[in-house]
Amino acid sequence: AKSLGRNTFQLYSDMSNKGLGKKELYIQSRLAQAIRDERIGVWFQPLVAARPAADGSVAIAGFEALARWHDPDYGWVSPASFIPMAENLGLIGELGHLVRRQALAQFRRWLALRPDLHLAMNVSKRQLFAPDFVDALLADVEQHAVPPSALTLEVTESVALLDVEFAEERLQQIVAAGFRLSIDDFGTGYASLSQLHELPVSELKIDISFVRRVHTAEGARVVQAIVSLAQSLRLRTVAEGIEDEATAAAMRQLGADLLQGYHFGRPAPAEEIRV
Ligand code: C2E
Ligand code: MG
Ligand code: MG
Ligand code: MG
């Protein structure tokens, strides 16, 4: 099912177990129950302003919510494997709702202390294309008294381009409801200039693979090109995956607006975070 679009029928039809190893099959068999028992949680990773404050301190601008699942027998399961599984099993709507509720409840507490913070949440392809997605999202933010404008939804470049016409329509609905949109893993897809121009996004999140190569002359030029593209479209840029000060300095110098990565803070449970 390459082209998703309006054909939501196809979405849940490719549940074959082809290519899954023993571990994956085991995890897959546990996923529905883990969601039902609310054993999938959410951790938060800070996004910081590239420009340090006047006193030189690094200001937290917001957080990205990241789903976390610890299975008592298996151990930690990566979202990179259980999110696609939830999609294939038709469980992504429920899982998304669970993660969103937890993220919003916590974010509401932080907002009371820091009304300027924003929260980023990842949205996978079937989640985005589900007919009730925008309604579910609106119901959740309303219930937690979080203004839509404080939320940024991260959609990967390849998802935004799956069915450009439909994606555009859906993304317009999201923006009309007051949310912001970011293109995650930017640079790994093939968005054309005109497509980017049409999409109602306000941020590009530069993929970690480019951030890693910023120390080479060519890598720096590529990042420079992405930042100037973003600037000409009036989009904010985020550099993800920053693991050391040298990379942070390079990204600042090239004009990224926000920085994120282990260097500033690993994803952590809310209890370990001070805003
Ligand atoms: P992503 O949205 O691109 O998130 C960035 C990933 O990079 C996260 O992995 C994060 O923990 C990791 N990361 C952050 N800083 C660094 C760093 O300095 N170095 C390195 N090497 N990695 C860093 P994680 O949490 O395993 O998530 C993987 C992917 O799973 C995410 O990629 C996102 O696409 C997806 N995902 C996670 N949570 C959710 C969710 O709640 N819903 C949906 N739909 N997808 C999710
Ligand atoms: Mg993300
Ligand atoms: Mg990313
Ligand atoms: Mg990524």
Side-chain angles (χ1 to χ4, degrees):
K2 200 176 169 220
S3 158
L4 295 169
R6 279 164 237 255
N7 192 356
T8 42
F9 239 74
Q10 277 181 39
L11 300 187
Y12 306 113
S13 64
D14 53 347
M15 294 199 301
S16 75
N17 292 328
K18 269 184 288 193
L20 287 188
K22 239 178 156 175
K23 280 181 176 175
E24 283 85 0
L25 286 173
Y26 166 83
I27 281 305
Q28 179 167 294
S29 71
R30 294 246 186 161
L31 184 56
Q33 195 61 44
I35 296 171
R36 222 169 295 135
D37 296 346
E38 308 199 344
R39 279 190 281 105
I40 294 180
V42 58
W43 283 13
F44 299 89
Q45 185 180 30
L47 289 108
V48 308
R51 231 168 232 285
D55 64 356
S57 66
V58 168
I60 292 181
F63 293 96
E64 178 174 3
L66 294 160
R68 289 292 180 266
W69 178 19
H70 187 266
D71 178 86
D73 302 311
Y74 181 91
W76 289 102
V77 188
S78 165
S81 47
F82 70 78
I83 297 285
M85 265 174 205
E87 291 222 295
N88 291 334
L89 294 167
L91 297 168
I92 193 66
E94 257 181 280
L95 175 57
H97 181 55
L98 173 61
V99 168
R100 216 153 53 222
R101 264 170 23 231
Q102 299 179 68
L104 289 170
Q106 178 55 49
F107 183 59
R108 177 66 261 173
R109 291 179 209 121
W110 285 331
L111 264 190
L113 306 168
R114 284 269 319 267
D116 60 314
L117 286 176
H118 70 88
L119 178 69
M121 288 198 296
N122 295 287
V123 179
S124 57
K125 67 176 182 243
R126 284 165 201 193
Q127 222 175 342
L128 179 72
F129 291 128
D132 65 344
F133 178 66
V134 183
D135 289 339
L137 194 60
L138 278 169
D140 286 344
V141 292
E142 196 172 317
Q143 201 192 336
H144 292 89
V146 168
S149 59
L151 280 199
T152 301
L153 302 178
E154 297 187 357
V155 174
T156 63
E157 186 180 8
S158 53
V159 167
L161 298 178
L162 265 182
D163 175 337
V164 175
E165 211 178 290
F166 182 70
E168 208 183 306
E169 188 180 315
R170 178 48 51 94
L171 298 178
Q172 295 287 1
Q173 290 170 345
I174 291 170
V175 168
F179 302 97
R180 290 164 159 272
L181 285 167
S182 173
I183 300 198
D184 205 347
D185 303 344
F186 184 78
T188 59
Y190 300 92
S192 69
L193 204 52
S194 68
Q195 286 166 339
L196 259 186
H197 187 65
E198 295 303 321
L199 294 174
V201 300
S202 45
E203 180 185 280
L204 299 183
K205 218 166 166 177
I206 305 168
D207 190 65
I208 187 168
S209 58
F210 301 105
V211 173
R212 287 232 165 92
R213 294 201 295 260
V214 74
H215 300 297
T216 67
E218 201 198 324
R221 282 197 300 271
V222 171
V223 171
Q224 178 69 75
I226 296 175
V227 171
S228 34
L229 170 66
Q231 285 169 348
S232 60
L233 295 171
R234 298 183 196 288
L235 307 177
R236 184 167 83 162
T237 45
V238 183
E240 68 175 7
I242 294 184
E243 297 183 354
D244 52 57
E245 182 51 38
T247 307
M251 294 307 309
R252 280 191 186 104
Q253 214 235 318
L254 290 169
D257 299 303
L258 291 168
L259 310 177
Q260 184 183 24
Y262 297 164
H263 179 59
F264 299 103
R266 290 187 175 249
E271 312 84 77
E272 290 176 17
I273 295 173
R274 293 281 154 273
V275 298

